[in-house]
Amino acid sequence: MYADDPADVARRFAADGATWLHLVDLDAAFGDGDNRDVIRAVISGSPASVQVGGGLRSVDAVDDVLTAGAARAVVGTEAITDESFAPQVVAGHGDRVVVALDVDGDSVRIRGWIEDAGPLGDLLPRLEDAGVSRFLVTSVSRDGTLEGPDLPLYARLTATTPRPVLASGGVRHADDLRALMDTGVEGAVVGRALYEGTLSLAEALEATA
């Protein structure tokens, strides 16, 4: 735990120049309640665009978070396990829907990484055919480690899919962001590095300018 007021953290990030915030409702993701009021407070209290994920497993849940003002909704497990889900939410919201793929080796993990959903190479074409316009790809082995991103994974992905890819997992320093840019990803999620102080937001913004 780094802070007890997410809305205040969001305001400070925005004041320091962040134009996008990535927000995950961990309670909803693990089926242990939700933080809808907190999400609304973050969205309404910050001028930055907010991308929200975690537990969005129904069309109504996606509708609700986008109606609340989120710029994008991130869906994962349901888009992978229910072939009708991604086409429905994409039809309703277009490029405001992002599909999260948590990758371990060549496999995609779901339900909090406890289940194997199959090879990444099999899932990507189906999701592309469903109209998904953007992927958020987390390297499971690097997430939260501050050990550097899985550059080969992102280089392989950007060569495989024409859709924009957002990278997540392992970023520690500004050089990690520069290396990710060289792989062709559209952007990167940075979390722990900012809270631990190994990377400042100013350094991140300068590195990706």
Side-chain angles (χ1 to χ4, degrees):
M1 180 178 287
Y2 295 96
D4 57 9
D5 186 349
D8 181 60
V9 174
R11 285 190 293 270
R12 286 190 276 118
F13 278 143
D16 288 342
T19 58
W20 277 92
L21 300 174
H22 180 70
L23 178 63
V24 180
D25 187 340
L26 290 177
D27 291 313
F30 289 103
D32 188 24
D34 63 65
N35 294 282
R36 292 176 184 171
D37 291 342
V38 174
I39 290 170
R40 292 189 183 96
V42 169
I43 292 170
S44 64
S46 169
S49 298
V50 182
Q51 174 174 285
V52 178
L56 301 180
R57 299 191 178 112
S58 70
V59 173
D60 286 345
V62 173
D63 291 345
D64 287 348
V65 76
L66 292 176
T67 300
R72 293 178 186 154
V74 181
V75 297
T77 296
E78 200 68 21
I80 294 167
T81 59
D82 181 352
E83 294 192 18
S84 69
F85 182 70
Q88 287 183 73
V89 291
V90 168
H93 301 288
D95 63 4
R96 297 178 71 192
V97 174
V98 180
V99 169
L101 299 171
D102 298 334
V103 179
D104 185 11
D106 289 323
S107 297
V108 173
R109 309 296 296 184
I110 58 173
R111 306 191 196 285
W113 301 351
I114 63 174
E115 293 183 20
D116 185 345
L120 177 63
D122 292 346
L123 291 170
L124 272 178
R126 171 166 70 79
L127 293 167
E128 290 171 354
D129 289 344
V132 174
S133 62
R134 179 175 281 101
F135 296 105
L136 168 64
V137 180
T138 298
S139 172
V140 169
S141 65
R142 303 295 180 94
D143 191 55
T145 65
L146 299 179
E147 294 179 355
D150 185 346
L151 299 175
L153 168 64
Y154 298 112
R156 186 171 80 248
L157 273 166
T158 56
T160 302
T161 178
R163 307 292 196 269
V165 173
L166 301 171
S168 178
V171 171
R172 179 182 180 88
H173 297 302
D175 285 345
D176 292 329
L177 294 173
R178 296 186 184 98
L180 279 169
M181 290 174 66
D182 288 341
T183 70
V185 297
E186 180 186 46
V189 173
V190 183
R192 187 177 177 187
L194 298 176
Y195 296 112
E196 296 281 356
T198 64
L199 173 67
S200 72
L201 182 56
E203 290 171 331
L205 294 173
E206 180 181 0
T208 56

